[in-house]
Amino acid sequence: MNQRAVAIAVITVMACGCSTPSKPATPAPAKPVVAIVTPEKRDIVRVVGQPGFVDSYERAALYAKVSGYIEKWNVDIGDIVKKDQVLATIFVPELVEEHRVKQATVELDTVLVDQARKVADSADGNLRAAIAKVSQAKADVGRFTAEVERWQSEVKRLSGLVQQNVIDKQVLGESTRQLKSNEAARDAAVSLVAVADAQRLASEADLAKARVDIKAAETRVTVAKAEERRLAALVGQLAGGASS
């Protein structure tokens, strides 16, 4: 029991020897100081610097519809362009000359159409004249045929009178010559009918050909105008250049 009491006493003494005396507390001020401010509304701006790259969202390759020489550049790399803006003007001398030639071809073909129409009118007039000749030749055949029949009857009558010694043979001879003359004229008129009819057929063929020539010339004009419009569109692309 005594040993236990001694140990407790030693521990108590050690604990008391290791303790440190505390500092005195700072006294609080008598009146606190408060600063009054008016709040202001301000935007908070945050700037963050980051490494990066700027690239286009879309890329499009531009090609001219007509290949040729660049006559004038209107923009350069990095320039801002707008829709339908002319970027460059292209020059193709061969295409321009071809367009001029085609324009002249259209004019020439138009003249040829007028010429073909005039030829057709002339052929139509020749056909009308040939038809009139055929009618006239047939009328001559009818007239000379009537004369032949008349003189045949006269010769037959005079032949009977000569046999009866009523009239002289000289009168019969004169009538016979008239008959032969009218027969020759009738045969010539028949030949003229054949010739006039052949001319009519030839005139009909010429008229048909002239009408076909008109159609062909009009078709050439149509084709030439279409080609001229195509070349005009290409030349217009040259004037417009390459657009955005």
Side-chain angles (χ1 to χ4, degrees):
M1 294 294 292
N2 292 329
Q3 295 178 351
R4 184 178 180 183
V6 172
I8 293 172
V10 172
I11 293 171
T12 303
V13 172
M14 291 178 64
C16 292
C18 294
S19 61
T20 304
S22 60
K23 296 180 180 181
T26 304
K31 295 182 179 180
V33 178
V34 178
I36 300 175
V37 296
T38 302
E40 297 179 359
K41 183 179 179 180
R42 293 182 297 175
D43 295 333
I44 299 176
V45 180
R46 295 184 177 89
V47 179
V48 179
Q50 295 288 339
F53 300 93
V54 178
D55 201 354
S56 60
Y57 182 73
E58 291 184 356
R59 291 185 179 183
L62 301 179
Y63 300 96
K65 291 185 178 181
V66 180
S67 300
Y69 303 99
I70 298 297
E71 186 177 25
K72 180 182 179 182
W73 283 106
N74 298 324
V75 294
D76 201 349
I77 298 176
D79 292 346
I80 298 176
V81 297
K82 299 179 181 180
K83 182 180 179 181
D84 296 331
Q85 180 180 351
V86 177
L87 306 182
T89 302
I90 303 174
F91 179 62
V92 184
E94 299 87 353
L95 183 61
V96 174
E97 291 302 323
E98 185 179 358
H99 180 227
R100 291 176 180 173
V101 170
K102 189 56 64 176
Q103 287 178 327
T105 302
V106 171
E107 294 179 0
L108 176 60
D109 290 339
T110 302
V111 172
L112 292 178
V113 169
D114 295 336
Q115 181 179 1
R117 288 174 178 170
K118 291 179 180 178
V119 171
D121 293 339
S122 177
D124 184 65
N126 292 335
L127 176 60
R128 295 176 183 274
I131 293 174
K133 287 182 179 180
V134 170
S135 300
Q136 182 63 39
K138 288 182 178 180
D140 291 339
V141 169
R143 180 169 59 85
F144 288 121
T145 299
E147 289 293 327
V148 167
E149 292 176 353
R150 170 178 174 273
W151 287 108
Q152 285 178 344
S153 177
E154 185 68 14
V155 168
K156 184 178 180 180
R157 184 181 67 84
L158 294 176
S159 297
L161 294 177
V162 168
Q163 291 178 358
Q164 297 175 4
N165 295 322
V166 175
I167 61 173
D168 191 13
K169 291 181 178 182
Q170 185 177 358
V171 177
L172 177 60
E174 183 65 25
S175 297
T176 303
R177 285 192 296 270
Q178 288 291 337
L179 174 60
K180 291 180 179 180
S181 175
N182 283 278
E183 287 176 344
R186 181 199 59 190
D187 295 339
V190 172
S191 299
L192 288 176
V193 169
V195 172
D197 195 55
Q199 291 177 350
R200 178 186 62 82
L201 294 176
S203 298
E204 287 179 350
D206 291 340
L207 178 59
K209 180 180 179 300
R211 289 173 177 172
V212 172
D213 291 340
I214 291 175
K215 293 293 183 181
E218 290 175 344
T219 303
R220 285 195 299 269
V221 170
T222 302
V223 174
K225 286 183 177 179
E227 183 66 14
E228 190 274 334
R229 287 193 296 268
R230 184 184 71 84
L231 294 174
L234 294 178
V235 172
Q237 290 295 328
L238 297 181
S243 301
S244 60

